[in-house]
């Protein structure tokens, strides 16, 4: 994993690229390089050495004839297969690195070679003979990439803060509304005005910095076996063996839940090799509800691991808060970001790669909102007819949220299920265009989560939190082979409640995990707020100060909650944490 940077046009000089490199040194502390291919263009890279750790694979990586060069970050999981193809075509290799494979694929096939790359990546390929620049990001959005462009200059970087070091942009207050409802800016945007996110599965080949057009990375047609439980198990096992490979120490984030437990169990069953594993452990008084630590400890008795529990209390939260906040490139309203950061802080002492179960819930229907939408589909007419009466019944908060979220439009209903509050109409329009109407209705919702929640929340906090400690994160459930299988599953019942994952666990004598109630991964915020102590006091104070300085830009519901946060403790504790995080980040960056 690395950090990559480009500045092209006015202001492109060595001092500017050095500023960008300095901002993202944590992404690649093992090697650093910069180069100007021609006047007015500078590129730079921070390298984290994972595959072929020798200096022969340092970047920028040049073609043998000196006509092209590559800087990139990520991992290519099919690089051996492509390497063999290129050798058959007469290409000679001087390293065992996937970097050299990527360079030759692009040199031989041009931008069409992007479709051959199976893995996670963001890259910049420079062809000096035709003075062109190719920029691309992987299909899942596992590796972040940002850009800023005006008539004079194009800047591209792995981190917003690297671009911000040159631009000094203001806060984009238009992103406050999507953050309030869905925890992150609108897809393709950031909290910095004029700095945008390069969308997944997009590339652009540019001959000038003044303009570029988007193109999609096409998928190569592959022979995929008929979807079945056996195919699922075989495909996932292959993905595990493939992605657990590295030339540096590797471990796993073990939640004690279904997804990460299955990955490690398959690994151990195939290899018998114990790996380091890391799990968050909350205070004893909260463990009945937040049982990840206890569950993971039980799991490693069946599948041995060098297991480490990382205790998180209010004391450790405040001791680490400032450092965590400084490490944030962009705030995401999810306390799992802090927990991932704490895991990275401890894990960096022994590993440079961490595996996670990211992607399983989004693809295979593991969230409560997927279950709710299934109920909505089956009872839609009845629910709409009696919605008014049902809403008056004195039942619990989750029931009331479900009833109030129902709309005649299934996509609006799913957005309401997904959001921290029911969506206003203007925001619904912004997100509605993301749904792929070529899919059946239920799959549209899973695909929306794949495009939005997975990219904007799960993968972003994983990358930011782990890279802050120079650790690469990997997600085998997002392997290209797994996505190919997912796309051809016709029976939607197989996409509800992760049946194949649970069946795999039962075969491994892990039924107790498959039956474990899903809690989600986050801080015990409800309990911390309920104590009405220092935590609540500090959070309320920061939110109220934020409302006074920026409240005029808040949507109505956000401003009402920010003005009197103590009234939201019972039902809006997640939103309160998100507002606190944003308030602290905005204050830190003086926006």
């Amino acid at each position: 994993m690395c950090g990559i940077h480009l500045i092209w046009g006015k202001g492109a000089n060595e001092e500017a690229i050095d500023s960008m490199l300095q901002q993202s040194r944590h992404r690649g502390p093992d090697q650093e390089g910069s180069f100007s291919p021609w006047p007015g263009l500078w590129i730079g890279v921070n390298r984290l050495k994972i595959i072929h750790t020798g200096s022969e694979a340092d970047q920028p990586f040049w073609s043998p004839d000196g006509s092209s060069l590559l800087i990139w970050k990520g991992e290519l999981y099919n690089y051996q297969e492509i390497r063999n193809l290129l050798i058959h075509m007469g290409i000679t290799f001087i390293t065992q690195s996937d970097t050299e494979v990527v360079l030759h694929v692009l040199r031989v096939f041009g931008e069409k070679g992007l479709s051959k790359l199976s893995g996670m990546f963001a890259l910049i390929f420079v062809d000096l003979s035709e003075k062109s620049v190719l920029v691309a990001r992987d299909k899942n959005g596992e590796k972040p990439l940002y850009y800023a462009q005006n008539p004079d200059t194009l800047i591209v970087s792995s981190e917003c803060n690297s671009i911000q070091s040159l631009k000094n942009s203001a806060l984009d207050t238009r992103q406050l509304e999507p953050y309030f409802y869905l925890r992150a800016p609108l897809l393709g945007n950031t909290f910095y005005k004029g700095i945008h996110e390069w969308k997944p599965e997009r590339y652009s080949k540019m001959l000038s910095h003044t303009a570029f057009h988007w193109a999609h990375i096409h998928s190569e047609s592959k022979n995929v076996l008929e979807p079945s439980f056996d195919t699922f198990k075989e495909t996932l096992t292959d993905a595990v063996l493939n992605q657990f490979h590295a030339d540096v120490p590797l471990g796993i984030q073990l939640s004690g839940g279904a997804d990460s437990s299955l990955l490690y169990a398959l690994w151990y069953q195939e290899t018998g090799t114990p790996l380091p594993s890391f799990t968050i452990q909350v205070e004893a008084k909260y463990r009945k509800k937040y049982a990840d630590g206890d569950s993971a400890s039980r799991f490693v008795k069946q599948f041995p691991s060098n297991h480490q529990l990382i205790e998180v209390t209010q004391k450790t939260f405040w001791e680490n808060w400032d450092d965590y906040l400084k490490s944030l490139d962009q705030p995401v309203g999810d306390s799992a970001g802090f927990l991932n950061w704490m895991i990275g802080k401890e894990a960096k002492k022994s590993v440079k790669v961490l595996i996670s179960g990211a992607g399983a819930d989004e693809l295979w229907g593991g969230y409560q909102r997927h279950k709710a939408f299934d109920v909505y589909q089956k009872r839609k007419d009845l629910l709409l007819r009696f919605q008014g009466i049902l809403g008056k019944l004195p039942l619990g908060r989750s029931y009331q949220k479900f009833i109030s979220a129902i709309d005649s439009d299934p996509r609006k209903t799913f957005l309401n299920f997904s959001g921290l509050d029911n969506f206003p109409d203007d925001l619904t329009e912004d997100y509605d265009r993301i749904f792929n109407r070529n899919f059946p209705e239920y799959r549209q919702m899973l695909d929306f989560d794949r495009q939005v929640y997975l990219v904007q929340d799960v993968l972003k906090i994983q990358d930011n939190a782990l890279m802050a400690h120079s650790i690469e994160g990997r997600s085998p459930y997002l392997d290209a082979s797994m996505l190919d299988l997912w796309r051809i599953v016709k029976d939607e019942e197989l996409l509800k409640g992760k049946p194949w994952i649970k069946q795999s666990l039962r075969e491994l004598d892990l039924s107790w995990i498959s039956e474990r109630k899903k809690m989600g991964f986050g801080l015990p915020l409800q309990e911390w707020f309920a104590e009405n102590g220092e935590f609540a006091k500090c959070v309320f104070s920061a939110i109220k100060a934020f409302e006074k300085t920026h409240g005029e830009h808040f949507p109505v519901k956000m401003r009402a909650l920010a003005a009197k946060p103590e009234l939201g403790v019972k039902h809006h504790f997640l939103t309160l944490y998100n507002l606190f995080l944003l308030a602290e980040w905005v204050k830190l960056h003086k926006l």
Side-chain angles (χ1 to χ4, degrees):
M1 202 59 58
C2 307
I4 60 173
H5 319 278
L6 172 149
I7 178 167
W8 193 0
K10 185 178 180 180
N13 54 52
E14 190 169 9
E15 182 181 358
I17 205 71
D18 284 347
S19 173
M20 297 177 75
L21 287 166
Q22 183 177 355
Q23 288 292 325
S24 63
R25 198 153 281 156
H26 52 279
R27 285 192 165 270
D30 298 331
Q31 181 253 325
E32 189 171 287
S34 61
F35 182 72
S36 176
W38 57 78
L41 172 65
W42 275 87
I43 60 169
V45 61
N46 312 93
R47 184 185 176 205
L48 179 66
K49 299 182 179 183
I50 302 296
I51 300 292
H52 192 115
T53 58
S55 60
E56 303 87 355
D58 283 350
Q59 300 181 41
F61 194 91
W62 287 84
S63 63
D65 62 1
S67 66
S68 57
L69 62 90
L70 170 73
I71 57 173
W72 83 304
K73 59 175 180 173
E75 297 298 335
L76 186 61
Y77 299 125
N78 65 337
Y79 78 97
Q80 293 286 8
E81 174 189 334
I82 299 177
R83 179 187 173 93
N84 292 335
L85 169 66
L86 292 168
I87 289 173
H88 186 71
M89 295 174 65
I91 302 295
T92 300
F93 286 84
I94 60 173
T95 76
Q96 296 297 318
S97 73
D98 51 355
T99 298
E100 189 174 11
V101 172
V102 175
L103 176 120
H104 284 302
V105 164
L106 298 177
R107 190 174 64 84
V108 172
F109 298 103
E111 59 266 37
K112 292 182 179 178
L114 293 169
S115 63
K116 297 183 180 297
L117 306 182
S118 174
M120 54 180 184
F121 61 84
L123 62 83
I124 298 172
F125 176 76
V126 181
D127 187 324
L128 282 82
S129 60
E130 64 178 22
K131 285 198 170 184
S132 68
V133 176
L134 176 68
V135 180
R137 187 183 182 196
D138 71 74
K139 297 177 182 179
N140 294 324
E142 292 186 67
K143 296 297 104 188
L145 193 64
Y146 302 93
Y147 72 97
Q149 186 186 38
N150 60 37
D152 297 321
T153 311
L154 171 67
I155 309 174
V156 179
S157 179
S158 300
E159 296 220 347
C160 286
N161 285 336
S162 289
I163 301 177
Q164 177 70 351
S165 70
L166 303 179
K167 282 185 62 68
N168 194 27
S169 297
L171 177 69
D172 187 350
T173 55
R174 296 171 300 174
Q175 306 311 320
L176 295 174
E177 185 177 43
Y179 179 86
F180 178 74
Y181 287 95
L182 212 56
R183 309 172 187 86
L186 282 167
L187 199 63
N189 293 275
T190 75
F191 278 112
Y192 292 125
K193 192 175 291 185
I195 301 179
H196 303 281
E197 183 175 14
W198 194 286
K199 291 183 180 180
E201 206 171 5
R202 299 276 185 92
Y203 75 88
S204 184
K205 183 177 180 180
M206 296 167 277
L207 298 173
S208 168
H209 66 272
T210 57
F212 64 88
H213 69 276
W214 300 114
H216 284 270
I217 300 174
H218 296 292
S219 298
E220 286 194 332
S221 57
K222 297 179 181 178
N223 294 323
V224 182
L225 297 173
E226 189 67 23
S228 67
F229 170 66
D230 288 339
T231 305
F232 172 86
K233 189 168 60 172
E234 179 184 338
T235 304
L236 183 58
T237 300
D238 288 344
V240 164
L241 294 175
N242 206 5
Q243 294 206 21
F244 277 53
H245 168 71
D247 293 338
V248 294
L250 176 147
I252 186 168
Q253 294 174 259
L254 197 60
S255 70
D259 308 327
S260 59
S261 297
L262 178 57
L263 294 178
Y264 187 81
L266 290 174
W267 163 262
Y268 192 82
Q269 183 185 54
E270 291 293 318
T271 68
T273 303
L275 295 173
S277 59
F278 305 88
T279 308
I280 294 295
Q281 178 75 295
V282 298
E283 297 155 274
K285 58 184 175 181
Y286 304 137
R287 288 177 196 166
K288 185 176 181 180
K289 180 178 178 181
Y290 302 91
D292 283 7
D294 293 344
S295 180
S297 296
R298 178 180 173 183
F299 170 80
V300 298
K301 291 178 181 177
Q302 289 181 248
F303 293 87
S305 166
N306 306 318
H307 187 225
Q308 187 167 344
L309 292 171
I310 301 164
E311 188 173 8
V312 172
T313 65
Q314 288 190 43
K315 183 174 183 292
T316 56
F317 177 83
W318 291 120
E319 287 173 348
N320 289 278
W321 178 251
D322 287 345
D323 288 340
Y324 168 65
L325 194 66
K326 291 172 185 175
S327 77
L328 280 182
D329 191 45
Q330 287 281 287
V332 177
D334 189 337
S335 66
F338 178 81
L339 298 181
N340 273 284
W341 188 90
M342 289 294 293
I343 288 174
K345 181 182 179 181
E346 191 60 38
K348 70 179 178 182
K349 299 173 184 177
S350 57
V351 303
K352 291 186 76 171
V353 177
L354 273 178
I355 302 292
S356 85
D361 285 316
E362 290 78 12
L363 295 176
W364 302 97
Y367 290 125
Q368 186 64 31
R369 58 182 173 270
H370 301 145
K371 183 178 180 180
F373 190 79
D374 184 37
V375 173
Y376 164 80
Q377 277 190 304
K378 292 174 179 176
R379 303 283 187 269
K380 179 179 177 179
D381 292 342
L382 192 66
L383 289 168
L384 286 170
R385 187 183 308 166
F386 296 105
Q387 186 175 19
I389 297 172
L390 294 171
K392 295 176 182 177
L393 296 178
L395 299 175
R397 166 68 178 169
S398 58
Y399 171 84
Q400 292 292 340
K401 184 179 185 334
F402 172 78
I403 295 300
S404 68
I406 291 169
D407 190 90
S408 58
D409 182 345
R411 285 164 288 277
K412 174 70 178 292
T413 300
F414 186 74
L415 287 172
N416 289 340
F417 287 160
S418 303
L420 294 169
D421 207 324
N422 290 340
F423 270 50
D425 290 340
D426 62 327
L427 195 61
T428 300
E429 291 178 10
D430 289 329
Y431 283 101
D432 183 73
R433 63 177 65 96
I434 297 172
F435 290 95
N436 187 342
R437 287 165 170 78
N438 293 322
F439 287 147
E441 193 172 86
Y442 178 79
R443 188 185 283 270
Q444 285 183 40
M445 311 309 149
L446 297 184
D447 186 65
F448 178 89
D449 268 350
R450 182 187 68 83
Q451 292 188 71
V452 179
Y453 182 68
L454 183 64
V455 174
Q456 294 289 81
D457 188 319
V458 177
L459 294 175
K460 189 164 289 184
I461 62 174
Q462 174 177 285
D463 177 85
N464 192 103
L466 297 184
M467 288 307 300
H469 302 292
S470 305
I471 294 175
E472 174 179 288
R474 295 184 183 177
S475 307
Y477 286 105
L478 296 176
D479 193 85
S481 61
M482 290 294 292
L483 283 162
D484 288 340
L485 175 65
W486 176 77
R487 289 188 180 98
I488 63 170
V489 173
K490 298 290 193 297
D491 182 358
E492 288 191 346
E493 294 304 311
L494 297 173
L495 303 175
K496 298 174 181 178
K498 304 188 291 192
W500 281 343
I501 290 175
K502 291 179 179 179
Q503 186 176 346
S504 299
L505 289 167
R506 288 193 292 270
E507 285 194 353
L508 292 162
D509 195 26
L510 292 169
S511 296
W512 62 273
I513 289 182
S514 68
E515 295 164 2
R516 184 185 168 205
K517 182 180 179 182
K518 186 173 181 62
M519 263 303 299
F521 184 50
L523 292 165
L525 295 171
Q526 187 174 21
E527 290 74 16
W528 285 4
F529 277 120
E531 291 175 3
N532 200 27
E534 180 191 1
F535 180 80
K537 181 180 177 181
C538 291
V539 169
F540 296 161
S541 175
I543 292 174
K544 288 179 179 179
F546 187 36
E547 190 275 331
K548 288 181 179 178
T549 56
H550 293 75
E552 62 182 305
H553 304 294
F554 291 3
V556 174
K557 286 188 176 181
M558 179 176 174
R559 189 162 199 181
L561 181 61
K564 296 182 178 180
E566 59 276 359
L567 299 181
V569 166
K570 187 174 181 180
H571 297 311
H572 301 288
F573 52 90
L574 296 177
T575 307
L576 290 176
Y577 173 83
N578 298 350
L579 293 180
F580 170 63
L581 173 67
L582 181 60
E584 292 278 274
W585 185 83
V586 167
K587 179 182 176 182
L588 176 67
H589 291 276
K590 300 177 181 177
L591 297 174

